[in-house]
């Protein structure tokens, strides 16, 4: 489309404005697609929001995202240059517009598919998260085939942008202009450019008042009722660009350090009573193996057996917890939380500069007691940064796909799933046998991979497991079978009876129940402590447990004598009435208190307080009535203490005792 008006270059201004308005429509369509693809996660809760507020918030963040993305295009179109009328210049302008905004469209559409795994819009940290993967083109290719309709929608949008693009007047040969005409032309367009710069600053900041701070991702929460819905307000280009230079750990000063430490401290003194118990430790981190898939943890759901018959039987012989949570929504959050007792606040720990700090962990602490340590993951060595993190936290050895392929006991590459890693069943067999090569005592951990998109199982098991109502359910059944075979082999090994096992998931995944689709339900992860010797109680404690409790609890079970740092608690020394859990959800800290309240806090204000014993769906916000309750005030101050000490220690390299 070409404008047929021309008056001192104002057609360029008008064309620019119309093209930017077109992008607002395109982003609105991307947002509709986002909600449609994730309707099971976002609806019907989204209907309870004010659509006027959703529109206001969306326009605010779309403005910032589009201004970020189209900064070069704006300069090209608004600079007061006479040569703008040349055909080559206008063609260049159009290509700049189409290319940069196509990137924005692709990012928004791709994020609609990634959101179920993270619960938030993608940030700049994604480049580091997948920086070591060599199979991403294969993964993207599979995703494009699975979600062909999203790809088709993207092609239609980009084609519409091309054909609906508004061009200024047609090329003409510029005649000479008088000094006065040139003066008016350049002054006018310099003023227009300055006005645009001013409006851009306002748009990117999110407002024009002095009190307005540049908006960031957490500001989206003010337009919706729950953190998971903030992704509807945001757009991916804004989320990505806004976090490029983001400092993830600003240290608040809610209170003095003395007051903070009186409420909470991550420093653990170690056990002075009793001798150290030198049992082996085996930590099994199962990809996406959330509580929802277990029959054992969902006995209150009528006619629901779950997809984990073996793990249900093992849970009956284990120490489990009525409430148990993960501390993050990504695989890269699981390792720091489980193995080093470091929760995910703001950004994944391994993707921040704080990951270069001196970091402790279960391997480093038990290494002081003479333990051999090893970490296992069946993907390509270096995948997800797991190898680097394992090394930084004290693991002696790492066993990945390369080591598996080179072991004569395995079938090597024939066991590769074609996308991510070695299938769970053969890799867990390798894990069980390899531990018999180690000198006791040892501490090991394995991270499984098969219960992951593209949600496939080995050909011989296509019809072996319940396919359920979600793509992941068949994979859960396969991984449960793989764990059964692992324990069958492990029971025959000489180290088995002298071992404490921990089984948990890295995070949750696809959900079929509203119960698990709330802001807290997304974090429901199983945690089992299993000791074949029977030394541990075989019961479900009425306790609030979390990933960051695993390391200090294991050290407590072993009567570990040395002081150490862990942000979680030792459940062997914590009564049920003093337990708690914390996580970070799209700009909101979520704190589950000992009296079963969920406190949602954005770093400055309490956004919600819910009684999770009677209101798991989080429909009755009691913040107005309970924020001043004396017991709740202490709990809020305790949460502030946790945040303050976490940020301070991250920034000051204080992550070891």
């Amino acid at each position: 489309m070409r404008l047929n008006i021309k008056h001192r270059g104002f057609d360029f201004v008008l064309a620019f404005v119309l093209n930017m308005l077109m992008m607002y429509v395109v982003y609105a369509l991307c947002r509709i697609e986002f909600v449609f693809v994730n309707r099971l996660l976002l609806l019907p809760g989204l209907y309870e929001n004010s659509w006027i507020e959703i529109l206001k918030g969306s326009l605010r963040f779309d403005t910032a995202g589009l201004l970020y993305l189209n900064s070069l295009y704006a300069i090209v179109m608004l600079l007061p240059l006479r040569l703008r009328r040349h055909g080559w210049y206008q063609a260049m302008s159009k290509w700049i517009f189409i290319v940069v905004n196509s990137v924005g469209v692709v990012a928004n559409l791709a994020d609609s598919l990634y959101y179920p795994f993270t619960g938030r819009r993608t940030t700049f940290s994604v480049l580091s998260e997948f920086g070591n993967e060599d199979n991403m083109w294969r993964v993207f290719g599979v995703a494009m085939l699975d979600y062909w309709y999203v790809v088709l929608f993207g092609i239609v949008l980009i084609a519409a942008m091309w054909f609906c693009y508004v061009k200024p007047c047609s090329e003409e040969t510029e005649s000479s202009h008088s000094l006065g005409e040139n003066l008016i032309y350049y002054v006018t367009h310099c003023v227009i450019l300055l006005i645009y710069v001013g409006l851009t600053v306002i748009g990117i900041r999110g407002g024009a008042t002095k009190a307005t701070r540049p908006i960031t991702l957490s500001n989206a929460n003010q337009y919706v009722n729950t953190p998971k819905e903030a992704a509807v307000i945001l757009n991916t280009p804004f989320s990505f660009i806004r976090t490029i230079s983001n400092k993830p750990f600003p240290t608040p000063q809610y209170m003095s350090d003395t007051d903070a430490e009186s409420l909470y401290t991550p420093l653990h003194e170690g056990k002075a009573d009793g001798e150290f118990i030198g049992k082996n430790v085996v930590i099994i981190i199962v990809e996406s193996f959330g509580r929802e898939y277990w029959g054992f943890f969902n006995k209150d759901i009528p006619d629901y057996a779950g997809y984990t018959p073996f793990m249900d039987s093992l849970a009956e012989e284990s120490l489990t917890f009525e409430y148990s949570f993960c501390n993050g929504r990504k695989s890269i959050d699981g390792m720091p939380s489980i193995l080093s007792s470091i929760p995910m606040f703001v950004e994944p720990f391994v993707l921040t500069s704080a990951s270069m700090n001196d970091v402790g962990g279960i391997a480093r602490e038990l290494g002081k007691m003479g333990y051999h340590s090893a970490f296992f993951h069946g993907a390509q060595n270096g995948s997800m940064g797991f190898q680097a993190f394992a090394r930084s936290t004290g693991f002696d050895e790492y066993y990945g796909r390369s080591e598996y392929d080179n072991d004569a006991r395995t079938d090597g590459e024939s066991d590769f799933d074609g996308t991510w890693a070695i299938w769970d069943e053969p890799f867990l067999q390798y894990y069980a046998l390899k531990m018999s090569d180690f000198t006791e005592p040892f501490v090991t951990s394995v991270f499984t991979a098969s219960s992951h998109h593209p949600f496939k199982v080995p050909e011989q098991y296509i019809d072996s497991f319940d396919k359920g109502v979600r793509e992941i359910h068949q994979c859960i059944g396969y991984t449960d079978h793989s764990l059964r075979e692992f324990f069958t082999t492990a029971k025959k090994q000489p180290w088995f009876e002298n071992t404490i096992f921990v089984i948990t998931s890295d995070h949750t995944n696809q959900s079929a129940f509203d119960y698990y689709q709330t802001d807290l339900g997304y974090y429901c992860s199983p945690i089992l402590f299993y000791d074949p010797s029977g030394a541990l109680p075989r019961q479900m404690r009425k306790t609030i447990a979390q990933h960051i409790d695993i390391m200090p609890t294991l050290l407590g079970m072993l009567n570990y004598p040395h002081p150490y740092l862990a942000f979680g608690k030792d459940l062997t020394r914590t009564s049920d009435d003093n337990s708690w859990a914390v996580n970070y959800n799209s700009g909101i800290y979520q704190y589950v208190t000992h009296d079963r309240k969920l406190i949602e806090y954005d770093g400055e204000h309490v956004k919600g307080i819910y009684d999770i014993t009677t209101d798991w769906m989080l429909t009755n916000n009691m913040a107005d009535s309970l924020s001043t309750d004396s017991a709740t005030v202490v709990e809020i101050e305790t949460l502030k203490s946790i945040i303050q000490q976490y940020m301070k220690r991250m920034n000051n390299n204080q992550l070891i005792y």
Side-chain angles (χ1 to χ4, degrees):
M1 183 186 301
R2 187 183 294 277
L3 290 175
N4 292 318
I5 65 168
K6 181 184 70 169
H7 183 65
R8 291 178 179 171
F10 290 153
D11 53 325
F12 281 88
V13 178
L14 181 57
F16 173 77
V17 171
L18 291 176
N19 288 327
M20 292 296 286
L21 289 175
M22 175 177 65
M23 290 312 304
Y24 279 100
V25 176
V26 170
Y27 272 43
L29 293 174
C30 288
R31 184 167 284 106
I32 292 171
E33 181 271 346
F34 186 94
V35 173
F36 175 78
V37 171
N38 295 288
R39 58 193 181 280
L40 295 176
L41 300 177
L42 295 169
L43 302 177
L46 198 61
Y47 289 129
E48 299 173 3
N49 290 269
S50 166
W51 289 98
I52 298 298
E53 288 297 303
I54 289 177
L55 179 60
K56 285 168 55 179
S58 299
L59 287 174
R60 190 182 187 193
F61 283 93
D62 284 356
T63 296
L66 288 170
L67 290 173
Y68 273 130
L69 206 58
N70 287 278
S71 55
L72 177 60
Y73 176 66
I75 293 172
V76 170
M77 288 291 284
L78 300 180
L79 275 178
L81 301 173
R82 291 286 189 183
L83 57 80
R84 289 184 298 177
R85 296 234 174 264
H86 289 287
W88 67 266
Y89 192 96
Q90 293 193 25
M92 177 187 70
S93 303
K94 180 175 181 178
W95 274 105
I96 290 173
F97 176 85
I98 295 298
V99 170
V100 298
N101 286 295
S102 295
V103 171
V105 168
V106 171
N108 278 320
L109 297 182
D111 226 6
S112 69
L113 309 180
Y114 194 40
Y115 172 78
F117 304 102
T118 64
R120 63 176 187 167
R121 289 279 184 171
T122 295
T123 62
F124 183 72
S125 62
V126 73
L127 296 183
S128 300
E129 181 179 349
F130 295 108
N132 294 317
E133 304 303 321
D134 63 355
N135 61 340
M136 294 315 298
W137 288 112
R138 184 187 297 112
V139 174
F140 291 149
V142 172
M144 290 173 68
L145 291 175
D146 288 347
Y147 299 100
W148 60 267
Y149 50 90
V150 176
V151 176
L152 179 61
F153 184 65
I155 293 172
V156 170
L157 284 182
I158 293 171
M161 287 160 48
W162 177 270
F163 289 110
C164 294
Y165 178 83
V166 177
K167 296 177 69 175
C169 292
S170 58
E171 177 185 2
E172 66 174 31
T173 302
E174 292 283 2
S175 59
S176 60
H177 299 278
S178 67
L179 179 62
E181 288 175 325
N182 279 330
L183 182 62
I184 292 173
Y185 178 86
Y186 287 111
V187 169
T188 300
H189 284 277
C190 283
V191 170
I192 291 172
L193 185 59
L194 288 174
I195 291 173
Y196 174 77
V197 170
L199 292 175
T200 297
V201 172
I202 292 171
I204 288 176
R205 285 180 61 84
T209 65
K210 292 183 179 179
T212 302
R213 297 185 300 171
I215 55 173
T216 186
L217 277 62
S218 62
N219 292 100
N221 288 291
Q222 74 186 70
Y223 300 101
V224 290
N225 293 329
T226 63
K228 72 176 181 179
E229 296 161 355
V232 177
I233 302 296
L234 295 165
N235 60 79
T236 305
F238 172 86
S239 300
F240 190 89
I241 295 171
R242 188 66 180 84
T243 55
I244 287 177
S245 59
N246 189 39
K247 183 180 179 181
F249 301 127
T251 303
Q253 196 63 42
Y254 297 124
M255 61 194 78
S256 69
D257 291 342
T258 301
D259 289 342
E261 291 169 6
S262 69
L263 292 168
Y264 161 84
T265 179
L267 300 178
H268 298 252
E269 294 299 331
K271 284 197 172 184
D273 54 321
E275 293 185 4
F276 176 73
I277 302 170
K279 287 195 171 188
N280 306 309
V281 173
V282 170
I283 303 171
I284 303 174
I285 306 171
V286 191
E287 172 69 44
S288 301
F289 221 65
R291 282 175 68 114
E292 175 176 348
Y293 310 129
W294 298 53
F296 175 83
F297 290 109
N298 296 283
K299 296 177 181 178
D300 57 331
I301 300 179
D303 303 318
Y304 181 65
Y307 305 92
T308 60
F310 170 70
M311 290 310 302
D312 289 343
S313 66
L314 189 68
E316 297 285 357
E317 302 177 19
S318 304
L319 174 62
T320 58
F321 308 93
E322 184 174 354
Y323 296 92
S324 55
F325 303 98
C326 49
N327 295 105
R329 290 292 308 278
K330 296 182 179 182
S331 296
I332 56 173
D333 299 328
M335 277 189 70
S337 298
I338 296 165
L339 302 179
S340 293
S341 192
I342 298 175
M344 194 289 282
F345 284 174
V346 185
E347 287 289 346
F349 170 76
V350 297
L351 305 183
T352 68
S353 59
S355 64
M356 303 305 294
N357 290 346
D358 299 321
V359 183
I362 187 71
R364 176 151 289 140
E365 296 303 330
L366 291 182
K368 299 174 183 177
M369 306 302 294
Y371 276 60
H372 177 74
S373 57
F375 185 83
F376 292 73
H377 184 223
Q380 184 65 35
N381 292 46
S383 175
M384 303 297 289
F386 289 171
Q387 186 171 13
F389 183 79
R391 179 181 295 273
S392 70
T393 57
F395 279 93
D396 298 321
E397 296 177 331
Y398 180 92
Y399 294 89
R401 184 172 153 194
S402 297
E403 287 74 19
Y404 180 89
D405 290 347
N406 293 328
D407 195 298
R409 291 171 291 190
T410 75
D411 291 330
E413 277 298 284
S414 63
D415 292 328
F416 179 55
D417 66 11
T419 304
W420 287 110
I422 303 299
W423 291 111
D424 281 353
E425 183 178 10
F427 193 76
L428 286 174
Q429 289 296 302
Y430 167 69
Y431 178 49
L433 295 174
K434 190 63 184 177
M435 281 188 284
S436 295
D437 296 341
F438 299 156
T439 301
E440 298 185 54
F442 55 75
V443 52
T444 70
S445 180
V446 64
F447 205 126
T448 71
S450 293
S451 42
H452 191 291
H453 183 270
F455 303 123
K456 296 180 179 179
V457 298
E459 190 69 29
Q460 67 268 30
Y461 292 121
I462 290 295
D463 298 316
S464 299
F465 307 107
D466 187 352
K467 292 182 172 60
V469 295
R470 294 287 182 269
E471 291 177 296
I472 196 173
H473 288 159
Q474 185 181 31
C475 296
I476 295 295
Y478 166 69
T479 297
D480 180 72
H481 161 77
S482 301
L483 289 165
R484 180 193 300 273
E485 295 304 306
F486 165 79
F487 275 97
T488 298
T489 300
K491 287 178 181 178
K492 302 174 184 177
Q493 307 308 310
W495 47 264
F496 180 75
E497 288 291 330
N498 189 42
T499 302
I500 298 175
F501 294 86
V502 180
I503 303 98
T504 188
S505 67
D506 57 338
H507 53 70
T508 62
N509 207 301
Q510 294 179 336
S511 176
F513 297 107
D514 293 342
Y515 185 81
Y516 287 103
Q517 294 177 24
T518 66
D519 292 329
L520 189 58
Y522 282 134
Y523 292 84
C524 288
S525 179
I527 298 176
L528 284 72
F529 290 89
Y530 169 63
D531 186 338
S533 71
L536 292 181
R538 298 178 174 181
Q539 66 179 90
M540 177 179 282
R541 281 182 54 183
K542 294 184 178 297
T543 301
I544 298 168
Q546 58 191 321
H547 275 169
I548 58 174
D549 297 337
I550 290 175
M551 170 186 157
T553 300
L554 282 169
L555 295 179
M557 290 176 175
L558 299 175
N559 284 331
Y560 184 69
H562 301 301
Y564 61 93
L565 185 140
F567 286 98
K569 57 193 176 296
D570 175 358
L571 295 174
T572 67
R573 292 183 169 186
T574 304
S575 67
D576 295 348
D577 292 335
N578 287 315
S579 58
W580 52 271
V582 66
N583 51 57
Y584 183 86
N585 184 14
S586 297
I588 301 294
Y589 295 94
Q590 299 188 143
Y591 184 56
V592 183
T593 68
H594 70 281
D595 53 354
R596 309 311 191 260
K597 291 196 296 287
L598 171 65
I599 297 174
E600 295 184 333
Y601 180 67
D602 68 1
E604 295 181 358
H605 307 99
V606 174
K607 306 294 288 185
I609 300 178
Y610 304 91
D611 182 351
I612 63 173
T613 59
T614 59
D615 182 28
W616 185 264
M617 296 304 297
L618 311 182
T619 58
N620 181 26
N621 189 343
M622 302 181 293
D624 290 341
S625 60
L626 286 182
S627 290
T628 57
D629 172 73
S630 58
T632 306
V633 168
V634 173
E635 291 163 347
I636 294 170
E637 291 300 301
T638 301
L639 172 58
K640 290 179 180 179
S641 171
I642 295 171
I643 298 169
Q644 179 173 312
Q645 294 189 69
Y646 180 94
M647 300 302 178
K648 178 184 176 183
R649 289 184 175 279
M650 290 294 164
N651 290 327
N652 295 327
N653 192 10
Q654 296 176 340
L655 296 181
I656 57 176
Y657 198 96

